[in-house]
Amino acid sequence: MRLPRSVRDAEVAGKTVLVRSDLNVPLQDGKVADDTRIRASLPTLRLLLENGAAEVRVCSHLGRPKTEEDRATYSMKPVEERVRELLSDDRLHVLENTRFDPRETKNDPELAKELAEGCDLYVNDAFGSAHRAHASTEGVAHVLPAYAGLLLEEELRHLGKLLGDVERPFVIVSGGAKVDDKLGVLQNLGGRADTVLIGGKMAEQVRVENPLDFAVELPSDVVGAAEFSEDAESGVYGVEDLPDGWLGLDIGPATRERFAGFLSDARTIFWNGPMGVFEWPRFAEGTKAVAEAVAANDASFSVVGGADSVRALNELGLAARITWVSTGGGASLELLEGKELPGVAAIPSGVEVAS
């Protein structure tokens, strides 16, 4: 695959650089609750400052503001404070939430020009937003000389490997609530995988009507609950033995062991989506078992994407044992579906790399 040209090759000394980062982080009580995305953006910002940029302007969206009241809720001020705590430099400035201007999501050329005003070049490092053709993610790349940031580069390199020749066995683990969200990825990658493991609510959907044209591994047992509640009456049941009206809120112990067996033998792994309602400890063991099995396989090339899967890894302290933990949700899925990402396509091509 051909990567977009890199910020490593940009002449930035004495110049003003506009950087589109992904600083869409969770907030709590007016503070940043999880700074993972901020930390992921720092290598590109440091590189620009170390290479002598006169000014680095960072823009990003935060949440989905729709009303005037949302302007206070989704202000970038707490984010800017955290950025400055991690990287203190007077040349660095964080702009206000791009989505405060309704022209952003319309990819308005005039807004793109306003963002570009006073800047010499543009760096897109927001892989998590690269599937959106917005003014700050795509429009500006047609106004200023455009480059890919370090994070965007690494996302494309690692995810791109899954689209080429991979070391086998190749195992895909897919979970979550809706098969529709991941159907494109499964259709594009699943037929090339040696094994596809499906858990979560989407396993029930596939069991009833499989939209895929290849065999998949589904749970044989589940942790069932009398209702969708953290404290509901629960128990382990074979899939066919689940009481009428009960819900399967996690994969059962036999399925955990079987899935872990497939993962222990794998040499390439892609995991996206939890095995159950992992936010509730009583229904988190399946997701935990998958996370531990992926992390334990040191011989594999492993990629994990999706907010819930990444959150599970972080909570278990296992993220460092994964080859690549993707910061992009929808962007990762669209790339692996084989779709072109507007934010990437707008940047001139750089080097060709082996998939």
Side-chain angles (χ1 to χ4, degrees):
M1 66 179 293
R2 183 168 289 278
L3 295 176
R5 65 181 179 184
S6 172
V7 64
R8 303 173 199 272
D9 302 322
E11 295 290 338
V12 302
K15 296 181 179 180
T16 297
V17 185
L18 177 67
V19 181
R20 179 48 159 100
S21 296
D22 184 2
L23 306 181
N24 184 30
V25 298
L27 302 176
Q28 185 174 350
D29 300 325
K31 298 289 184 181
V32 173
D34 181 350
D35 65 4
T36 301
R37 287 178 174 171
I38 295 176
R39 291 179 180 275
S41 73
L42 297 182
T44 293
L45 302 181
R46 286 198 184 98
L47 178 69
L48 293 168
L49 294 169
E50 289 169 0
N51 286 351
E55 182 183 357
V56 177
R57 301 177 186 175
V58 186
C59 65
S60 174
H61 78 281
L62 180 62
R64 296 182 177 181
K66 298 184 184 301
T67 66
E68 281 300 313
E69 289 75 15
D70 287 340
R71 296 180 72 87
T73 303
Y74 295 114
S75 168
M76 294 294 290
K77 289 181 180 178
V79 177
E80 181 178 20
E81 289 175 5
R82 185 57 181 149
V83 169
R84 292 198 171 281
E85 288 173 0
L86 296 170
L87 183 58
S88 179
D89 193 300
D90 290 340
R91 293 172 292 165
L92 183 66
H93 301 95
V94 178
L95 306 183
E96 191 49 277
N97 191 337
T98 58
R99 290 192 183 173
F100 281 178
D101 192 319
R103 296 177 296 170
E104 159 74 341
T105 56
K106 296 175 182 176
N107 199 7
D108 189 300
E110 290 305 313
L111 177 58
K113 290 177 183 178
E114 290 173 20
L115 288 168
E117 188 174 353
C119 298
D120 299 297
L121 57 96
Y122 166 73
V123 176
N124 190 347
D125 206 31
F127 177 74
S129 298
H131 60 313
R132 306 296 188 197
H134 291 171
S136 70
T137 62
E138 198 268 351
V140 179
H142 299 292
V143 182
L144 294 171
Y147 298 82
L150 301 180
L151 176 61
L152 182 63
E153 268 190 329
E154 288 304 299
E155 288 277 8
L156 294 173
R157 285 183 188 274
H158 286 93
L159 291 166
K161 288 182 181 180
L162 297 176
L163 295 169
D165 293 329
V166 298
E167 189 175 355
R168 296 183 179 278
F170 177 19
V171 178
I172 293 175
V173 190
S174 191
K178 295 181 179 179
V179 68
D180 292 347
D181 293 346
K182 302 176 180 72
L183 184 57
V185 173
L186 290 175
Q187 289 173 330
N188 194 42
L189 282 187
R192 299 174 52 244
D194 296 284
T195 307
V196 176
L197 313 175
I198 298 183
K201 187 171 178 58
M202 70 181 296
E204 300 176 15
Q205 296 174 269
V206 171
R207 192 185 304 278
V208 173
E209 185 177 359
N210 187 358
L212 305 169
D213 58 3
F214 50 84
V216 298
E217 295 287 336
L218 297 173
S220 58
D221 62 336
V222 296
V223 179
E227 59 182 352
F228 191 77
S229 168
E230 185 174 4
D231 302 318
E233 179 186 353
S234 65
V236 176
Y237 297 90
V239 169
E240 304 298 331
D241 301 322
L242 190 66
D244 289 343
W246 280 44
L247 307 170
L249 299 188
D250 193 12
I251 57 174
T255 301
R256 292 171 213 156
E257 185 175 353
R258 181 162 55 93
F259 281 15
F262 283 113
L263 291 167
S264 67
D265 294 333
R267 287 298 172 267
T268 303
I269 298 170
F270 174 60
W271 173 31
N272 186 296
M275 298 293 98
V277 188
F278 82 101
E279 299 91 337
W280 296 339
R282 295 172 65 208
F283 307 107
E285 290 303 312
T287 301
K288 179 181 178 182
V290 166
E292 291 175 340
V294 175
N297 189 340
D298 296 327
S300 72
F301 171 74
S302 54
V303 177
V304 178
D308 290 335
S309 302
V310 173
R311 175 182 165 187
L313 284 173
N314 287 331
E315 289 180 355
L316 293 167
L318 298 174
R321 297 178 64 182
I322 306 301
T323 307
W324 185 250
V325 178
S326 179
T327 60
S332 298
L333 294 177
E334 291 199 16
L335 180 68
L336 294 176
E337 283 180 39
K339 293 181 178 179
E340 184 176 73
L341 305 184
V344 175
I347 304 171
S349 294
V351 299
E352 184 82 28
V353 297
S355 298

